[in-house]
Amino acid sequence: MHIDLNRNGSKSLPHQISETLSQRISSGLLQQGVRLPSVRSLATTLRVSQLTVSKAYDVLEKRGLIYCRQGKGCFVADPKHTKRQEDGRWQDVYDDYLPRAQLWRNFDYSEVKYPFHIAAIHSELLPLKNIGDSFASLVTQQPELMATYGNFQGDLELRGIMRDHLKTRGITLTSSDVMITSGTQQGIDLVARTFVGPGDTVYLEAPSYTGAIDVFAGRGAEMIFVPTDSEGMRVDILTRMCDQRPPKLIYTIPTFQNPSGVTMSIARRQRLLELARSYRCLIVEDDPFSDLYFHAPPPPTIKSMDSEGHVVYMKSFSKVIAPGCRIACVAAGGNILSRLIAAKSASDLGSPLLTQRAVLPFIAGKYETYAAQLRVTLRTRMEKATKLLKLYAPPGVKYILPEGGLNLWLELPASPDIARLHELAEQMSISFLPGDVCYSAETSSRHIRLCYSQMNETDMEEGLRLFLRLLGRFLQVSG
Amino acid sequence: MHIDLNRNGSKSLPHQISETLSQRISSGLLQQGVRLPSVRSLATTLRVSQLTVSKAYDVLEKRGLIYCRQGKGCFVADPKHTKRQEDGRWQDVYDDYLPRAQLWRNFDYSEVKYPFHIAAIHSELLPLKNIGDSFASLVTQQPELMATYGNFQGDLELRGIMRDHLKTRGITLTSSDVMITSGTQQGIDLVARTFVGPGDTVYLEAPSYTGAIDVFAGRGAEMIFVPTDSEGMRVDILTRMCDQRPPKLIYTIPTFQNPSGVTMSIARRQRLLELARSYRCLIVEDDPFSDLYFHAPPPPTIKSMDSEGHVVYMKSFSKVIAPGCRIACVAAGGNILSRLIAAKSASDLGSPLLTQRAVLPFIAGKYETYAAQLRVTLRTRMEKATKLLKLYAPPGVKYILPEGGLNLWLELPASPDIARLHELAEQMSISFLPGDVCYSAETSSRHIRLCYSQMNETDMEEGLRLFLRLLGRFLQVSG
């Protein structure tokens, strides 16, 4: 079993070991009944003392996550306390390098009637007819697009369109500074695999996007979560933290942040960029939502202020027009991008060319008009959702009215058993995103994220009413 | 600068450092004029002595890859010996974890008239009309496919079709043992990121697939290349090697191997599986070509003999029917697959659903008839290519008539300057794959790979004639 240990970090080694194992157990990577390595063998593998491993196992046993049997070893406990067969299959002890995979556990509930957990736009609002027509005409007129691997960096024409689009947002670059990825998730992953390694310090907002946290954890990074307030990431606190641990990379979603909805002020954007300059590090600016504002346009992107190539800017186009098409844009300068292209080639030889060409005409021609209309629709829907919140939210539940984006971020009173609430909601065919997956594993959050745009209006209103009533009953009982 | 060092390996530390830097320079990751870290600072970073770094720099300077200036430091040399501006930009010294990226440098020559370097099937032979019709009808009838992320593991129905298909090839499993990836390249990458880490031993055939070598190098693996003969990988030699260094993973292309074309005998397949059992390790069986045999069907897959889940089997469907669609199947049992699914989710949230559904009807209904016809066409084309080889290949050039697959693997006499040959060919709009990218960096190969199926017949014959004449002149001059 492989565990990345940071021997210079602030956390003790037993703590690092127990936290990693606890994450693997909670995400199901270590399944019930699996035998953990013996204290002696894990100590040898990790080059730590047996006492260190022993301490870590003690913590896990006290938390009920594992049970130990004299002479037999320690096993992952069954939370329902039923006996499980001791399964000695070789696969269970075959090492992996996946410390965390929360996204995988918290995303895929396609069966649920009220899917509040996925931040997406319902298909009836998307320009699918238009993009579908584009697919249909391409397969007739240029069938060879289905046969070609294309350029690893992405189709040159689409990169040109994206360059022009970014220019209207104040970001000036050439199409050689643009790469096309299969969604922003892949963009984040490529940055991490290229530039982040074991022990490297990555700063993120607390809370942040689960998919990014998973990726950085997978690289063995030391993730540090920076507090946020109504102006976004507390860059003043970050600056002090950087004195202690210089950043390798800063990951931020400055506009209508996921999950919290907060937008970073211009002043902080500028200071963040200054900080990256002085530490000669990268900022990943993940920007899924800046076109989805309800009132005023958000402040300029950090990338638009960046003259020395410190910002890797990511914008998902498919998220706004056709999420299943998985087309995002990564913009970066100089040899930062060329290294990311090398990583992209090893990942998948490039994104499908047909799909790139299929979304191209819409982005080139109709995107702005569509986005303007979409903003109106989403604002109306958000207002309906927040009206229901005002009517039915149980006392003590807090939220901020979002200025854009797709999510509502609720803070529950006290520290409720959110896993239990999740179970109860699922029984009613309702899903939500538990806030703790938006933090590192140590934090137990009392937040939940609800997306109000992933269903049609009737289902959303019905589902939200049902959920808020459930929440009321739940808080009464547990309070 | 980050360099993975294997302190228990057979190669000296200076050698490991100089090889890594040399790969970065040759692949363009370290560009001309870039200043290398000082001896002192690299020694500190890598926790080695300054003498070790100094030795590595000496080797690089003697090979003309870098030049050192007293008091200023060492810089990546310009091969053309012109002076370059000393560029002190911060990006050039920003660390990455990309030790090798040969694929990226040797793949993308879309401009070339005679592209012999890509192992693919020309679009006129592919069932693009059929798959295009499928796209066109889906975007009308199920437009929501463009809106949905789908299941990370892949569409359930397509997984069922793939399960049924594999059953006809003697591989019995359930659709929950199947995952859909964006091409086999992604499958290899997911296995590597999940199960291979710094210093882990990975065995491969010598030569092997460039894209796989890049991926394992990117994980910091200790790659060991096993000699092959006419029956494929020398499993007897591998067995002795494993005594010295137990395998974490064995990567093999047993059928019409890429690039050599050799097929592993049944006896060796069985012994290889035995070996994996005794070492409790994984075999990655990459199978792009088994349906493309010219005479008799190849021996059964290793996966079909695997009862204990040691084999991760990969079959690219898109390669045979529509390469640009990027749809491959990864089959593995138990919690090996569940961990790969977790990795897939972090990589890209799943492959596009529309494309998965678009290739589904063809794989379900027409694949076998199509493959039978394709085999006849490819055999005819291969015979035309080998006839030209017999007529025009310069004396001393060796090759084996392939029994299947898409490649010809040529061995040139003596040790020619293949980089120079590559340049000359490019001037004639001809590309080929230099053999050295199919080995680890130390080997200088006298092989080249030519794909005979990537152009129409006329272009292929014309291009091959031109190339063989060029080769004749080249060998005469350099001999």
Side-chain angles (χ1 to χ4, degrees):
Chain A
M1 179 166 302
H2 176 87
I3 295 175
D4 275 320
L5 294 178
N6 177 1
R7 284 162 212 272
N8 309 316
S10 53
K11 294 174 206 154
S12 73
L13 293 175
H15 179 75
Q16 292 180 52
I17 296 169
S18 65
E19 280 308 320
T20 303
L21 291 175
S22 140
Q23 287 178 24
R24 284 167 177 240
I25 293 169
S26 73
S27 67
L29 288 171
L30 280 174
Q31 288 170 353
Q32 296 153 23
V34 166
R35 185 162 65 189
L36 296 176
S38 71
V39 169
R40 179 199 298 259
S41 99
L42 188 57
T44 310
T45 312
L46 302 179
R47 287 184 287 165
V48 299
S49 74
Q50 293 189 26
L51 186 62
T52 296
V53 176
S54 207
K55 275 186 187 170
Y57 281 11
D58 282 353
V59 169
L60 293 172
E61 195 169 19
K62 279 190 192 131
R63 288 165 60 192
L65 292 170
I66 65 172
Y67 61 93
C68 301
R69 293 281 170 274
Q70 190 73 36
K72 291 201 160 179
C74 294
F75 301 84
V76 177
D78 182 332
K80 305 244 158 50
H81 301 292
T82 58
K83 283 251 172 199
R84 300 261 308 182
Q85 213 184 340
E86 286 169 19
D87 186 344
R89 297 206 317 153
W90 72 274
Q91 292 188 340
D92 290 334
V93 292
Y94 190 69
D95 267 5
D96 67 56
Y97 295 82
L98 279 174
R100 175 188 158 117
Q102 300 293 347
L103 183 64
W104 174 56
R105 309 297 295 182
N106 284 288
F107 197 95
D108 189 36
Y109 298 106
S110 35
E111 312 289 297
V112 159
K113 185 175 178 195
Y114 306 106
F116 286 104
H117 64 298
I118 301 179
I121 298 168
H122 189 245
S123 61
E124 72 179 22
L125 302 180
L126 299 169
L128 301 181
K129 171 85 176 66
N130 205 296
I131 290 164
D133 288 349
S134 175
F135 266 110
S137 92
L138 284 173
V139 293
T140 316
Q141 284 161 30
Q142 299 182 58
E144 69 279 6
L145 294 177
M146 291 178 277
T148 329
Y149 286 104
N151 191 305
F152 294 150
Q153 188 174 355
D155 180 58
L156 184 61
E157 203 184 332
L158 180 57
R159 284 193 276 130
I161 299 295
M162 287 176 171
R163 172 206 58 205
D164 297 344
H165 173 93
L166 295 182
K167 200 168 177 201
T168 67
R169 306 296 194 269
I171 300 172
T172 306
L173 33 70
T174 68
S175 51
S176 64
D177 298 328
V178 171
M179 174 170 71
I180 292 159
T181 57
S182 295
T184 299
Q185 182 69 34
Q186 187 181 51
I188 301 167
D189 187 55
L190 293 176
V191 169
R193 68 190 282 155
T194 307
F195 295 114
V196 176
D200 283 348
T201 303
V202 173
Y203 288 97
L204 310 91
E205 284 129 357
S208 188
Y209 167 53
T210 312
I213 302 173
D214 278 2
V215 161
F216 294 125
R219 295 293 302 170
E222 176 76 8
M223 277 181 284
I224 303 183
F225 290 77
V226 185
T228 54
D229 61 17
S230 61
E231 283 183 62
M233 192 191 272
R234 288 282 304 270
V235 180
D236 56 330
I237 296 179
L238 172 63
T239 306
R240 288 201 298 275
M241 287 169 146
C242 287
D243 284 344
Q244 305 294 317
R245 294 191 62 95
K248 181 70 196 279
L249 187 147
I250 302 162
Y251 172 83
T252 177
I253 308 165
T255 304
F256 314 132
Q257 204 256 359
N258 179 6
S260 71
V262 167
T263 293
M264 194 186 288
S265 64
I266 295 197
R268 289 207 190 158
R269 289 172 194 235
Q270 284 162 341
R271 266 187 287 163
L272 191 63
L273 187 56
E274 277 307 319
L275 193 71
R277 272 199 204 112
S278 65
Y279 279 101
R280 300 161 79 86
C281 78
L282 280 184
I283 295 172
V284 171
E285 181 178 21
D286 186 355
D287 184 17
F289 297 139
S290 64
D291 290 340
L292 307 180
Y293 54 88
F294 301 140
H295 308 284
T301 59
I302 307 173
K303 183 69 185 166
S304 68
M305 312 166 182
D306 172 36
S307 56
E308 293 167 45
H310 285 276
V311 180
V312 179
Y313 175 80
M314 302 190 181
K315 175 164 186 160
S316 171
F317 284 89
S318 57
K319 188 156 202 91
V320 178
I321 61 174
C325 290
R326 320 292 302 115
I327 298 288
C329 153
V330 172
N335 74 26
I336 297 295
L337 193 73
S338 66
R339 288 182 276 179
L340 293 176
I341 298 166
K344 168 78 175 161
S345 73
S347 294
D348 65 3
L349 305 178
S351 293
L353 193 52
L354 173 66
T355 316
Q356 294 182 50
R357 290 280 181 84
V359 298
L360 189 152
F362 190 85
I363 297 175
K366 301 185 178 147
Y367 183 86
E368 300 296 356
T369 321
Y370 160 75
Q373 176 55 45
L374 183 63
R375 284 192 282 271
V376 176
T377 316
L378 289 179
R379 187 180 61 203
T380 312
R381 198 158 284 195
M382 180 277 292
E383 285 167 354
K384 297 216 161 154
T386 50
K387 195 170 152 194
L388 288 172
L389 271 178
K390 280 177 195 157
L391 277 173
Y392 298 106
V397 172
K398 288 184 206 159
Y399 52 89
I400 298 164
L401 293 189
E403 297 288 314
L406 306 177
N407 297 312
L408 298 166
W409 183 241
L410 272 56
E411 185 184 329
L412 309 190
S415 281
D417 180 355
I418 290 199
R420 178 71 190 135
L421 177 64
H422 200 264
E423 269 175 39
L424 292 172
E426 229 183 331
Q427 286 165 16
M428 297 168 71
S429 212
I430 297 171
S431 63
F432 61 83
L433 193 78
D436 60 352
V437 303
C438 303
Y439 294 90
S440 60
E442 302 83 38
T443 318
S444 82
S445 158
R446 48 164 136 162
H447 289 85
I448 59 176
R449 192 192 76 181
L450 301 173
C451 167
Y452 60 83
S453 55
Q454 161 71 356
M455 287 158 266
N456 67 43
E457 203 169 290
T458 317
D459 283 355
M460 185 275 283
E461 293 192 302
E462 193 173 273
L464 190 55
R465 237 187 318 256
L466 284 170
F467 175 71
L468 292 171
R469 283 196 199 125
L470 168 68
L471 185 60
R473 290 195 302 276
F474 175 77
L475 291 175
Q476 233 166 12
V477 173
S478 61
Chain B
M1 179 165 304
H2 175 88
I3 296 176
D4 276 320
L5 295 178
N6 177 0
R7 285 161 210 273
N8 309 316
S10 51
K11 295 175 208 154
S12 73
L13 292 176
H15 180 74
Q16 293 180 50
I17 295 169
S18 65
E19 280 307 321
T20 302
L21 291 175
S22 143
Q23 287 177 26
R24 283 166 179 241
I25 292 168
S26 73
S27 67
L29 287 173
L30 279 173
Q31 290 171 353
Q32 296 153 24
V34 166
R35 184 162 65 188
L36 296 177
S38 70
V39 169
R40 179 199 298 259
S41 100
L42 188 56
T44 310
T45 313
L46 301 179
R47 286 184 286 165
V48 298
S49 75
Q50 294 189 26
L51 185 64
T52 295
V53 175
S54 206
K55 276 186 186 169
Y57 281 11
D58 282 352
V59 169
L60 293 171
E61 195 170 19
K62 280 190 192 128
R63 288 166 60 191
L65 292 169
I66 66 171
Y67 60 94
C68 300
R69 294 280 171 272
Q70 190 73 36
K72 292 201 161 183
C74 293
F75 301 84
V76 177
D78 182 333
K80 305 242 156 55
H81 300 292
T82 57
K83 283 253 171 198
R84 300 260 307 182
Q85 214 185 340
E86 287 170 16
D87 187 343
R89 298 207 315 153
W90 72 273
Q91 291 188 342
D92 291 334
V93 292
Y94 190 69
D95 266 6
D96 67 56
Y97 295 82
L98 280 173
R100 176 188 157 117
Q102 300 293 347
L103 183 64
W104 175 56
R105 308 296 295 181
N106 286 285
F107 197 96
D108 189 35
Y109 298 105
S110 36
E111 312 290 296
V112 161
K113 184 175 178 194
Y114 307 106
F116 286 105
H117 64 297
I118 302 179
I121 298 168
H122 188 247
S123 60
E124 72 178 20
L125 302 180
L126 299 169
L128 300 181
K129 171 83 176 66
N130 206 296
I131 290 164
D133 289 349
S134 175
F135 267 109
S137 92
L138 283 173
V139 292
T140 317
Q141 284 160 30
Q142 299 182 58
E144 70 279 4
L145 293 177
M146 292 177 276
T148 329
Y149 286 103
N151 191 305
F152 294 149
Q153 188 175 357
D155 180 58
L156 184 61
E157 202 184 333
L158 180 57
R159 285 193 274 129
I161 299 294
M162 287 177 169
R163 172 205 59 205
D164 296 346
H165 173 94
L166 295 183
K167 199 167 179 204
T168 67
R169 305 296 194 267
I171 299 173
T172 307
L173 33 70
T174 69
S175 52
S176 65
D177 298 328
V178 171
M179 174 170 70
I180 292 159
T181 57
S182 295
T184 298
Q185 182 68 34
Q186 188 181 51
I188 300 167
D189 188 55
L190 292 176
V191 169
R193 68 190 284 156
T194 307
F195 295 114
V196 176
D200 284 347
T201 303
V202 173
Y203 288 97
L204 310 90
E205 285 129 358
S208 187
Y209 167 53
T210 312
I213 301 173
D214 278 2
V215 161
F216 294 124
R219 295 293 303 170
E222 176 76 6
M223 277 182 284
I224 304 182
F225 290 77
V226 185
T228 53
D229 61 17
S230 61
E231 283 183 63
M233 191 190 270
R234 287 281 304 269
V235 180
D236 55 332
I237 295 178
L238 172 63
T239 305
R240 289 200 299 275
M241 286 169 146
C242 287
D243 284 345
Q244 304 294 318
R245 293 190 64 94
K248 181 69 195 278
L249 187 147
I250 302 163
Y251 172 82
T252 178
I253 308 166
T255 305
F256 314 132
Q257 204 258 359
N258 180 5
S260 71
V262 167
T263 293
M264 194 187 286
S265 63
I266 295 197
R268 288 206 191 158
R269 290 172 192 234
Q270 283 163 341
R271 266 187 288 162
L272 191 64
L273 186 56
E274 277 307 317
L275 193 71
R277 272 199 205 112
S278 66
Y279 280 102
R280 301 161 78 87
C281 79
L282 280 185
I283 295 173
V284 171
E285 181 179 21
D286 185 356
D287 184 18
F289 297 139
S290 63
D291 290 340
L292 307 180
Y293 53 88
F294 301 139
H295 307 285
T301 59
I302 307 173
K303 183 69 185 168
S304 68
M305 311 168 183
D306 172 36
S307 57
E308 292 167 46
H310 285 278
V311 180
V312 179
Y313 175 80
M314 301 190 182
K315 176 165 186 160
S316 170
F317 284 89
S318 57
K319 187 155 202 90
V320 178
I321 61 174
C325 290
R326 322 290 303 117
I327 297 288
C329 152
V330 171
N335 76 24
I336 297 295
L337 194 73
S338 66
R339 287 182 276 179
L340 292 175
I341 299 166
K344 168 78 175 160
S345 73
S347 293
D348 65 3
L349 304 178
S351 293
L353 193 52
L354 174 65
T355 316
Q356 294 183 49
R357 290 281 179 84
V359 298
L360 188 153
F362 191 85
I363 298 174
K366 299 185 179 148
Y367 183 86
E368 301 296 355
T369 320
Y370 160 76
Q373 177 55 45
L374 183 63
R375 284 192 282 271
V376 177
T377 315
L378 290 178
R379 187 179 61 202
T380 312
R381 197 157 286 197
M382 180 278 293
E383 285 167 352
K384 299 216 161 158
T386 51
K387 198 172 150 192
L388 288 172
L389 272 177
K390 280 177 194 155
L391 279 172
Y392 298 105
V397 172
K398 289 183 206 160
Y399 51 89
I400 298 164
L401 293 188
E403 297 287 314
L406 306 176
N407 297 313
L408 298 166
W409 182 241
L410 272 55
E411 186 183 330
L412 309 189
S415 280
D417 180 354
I418 289 198
R420 178 71 190 133
L421 177 63
H422 200 262
E423 268 175 41
L424 293 171
E426 229 182 331
Q427 286 165 18
M428 298 169 68
S429 211
I430 297 170
S431 64
F432 61 83
L433 193 78
D436 59 352
V437 302
C438 303
Y439 294 90
S440 60
E442 301 85 38
T443 317
S444 81
S445 159
R446 48 164 135 162
H447 288 84
I448 59 177
R449 193 191 76 180
L450 301 172
C451 167
Y452 60 83
S453 55
Q454 160 71 356
M455 287 157 266
N456 68 42
E457 203 169 290
T458 318
D459 283 355
M460 184 277 283
E461 293 193 301
E462 194 174 271
L464 191 53
R465 238 187 316 257
L466 285 170
F467 175 70
L468 291 172
R469 283 194 198 125
L470 168 69
L471 185 59
R473 291 194 301 276
F474 176 78
L475 291 175
Q476 236 168 9
V477 173
S478 61

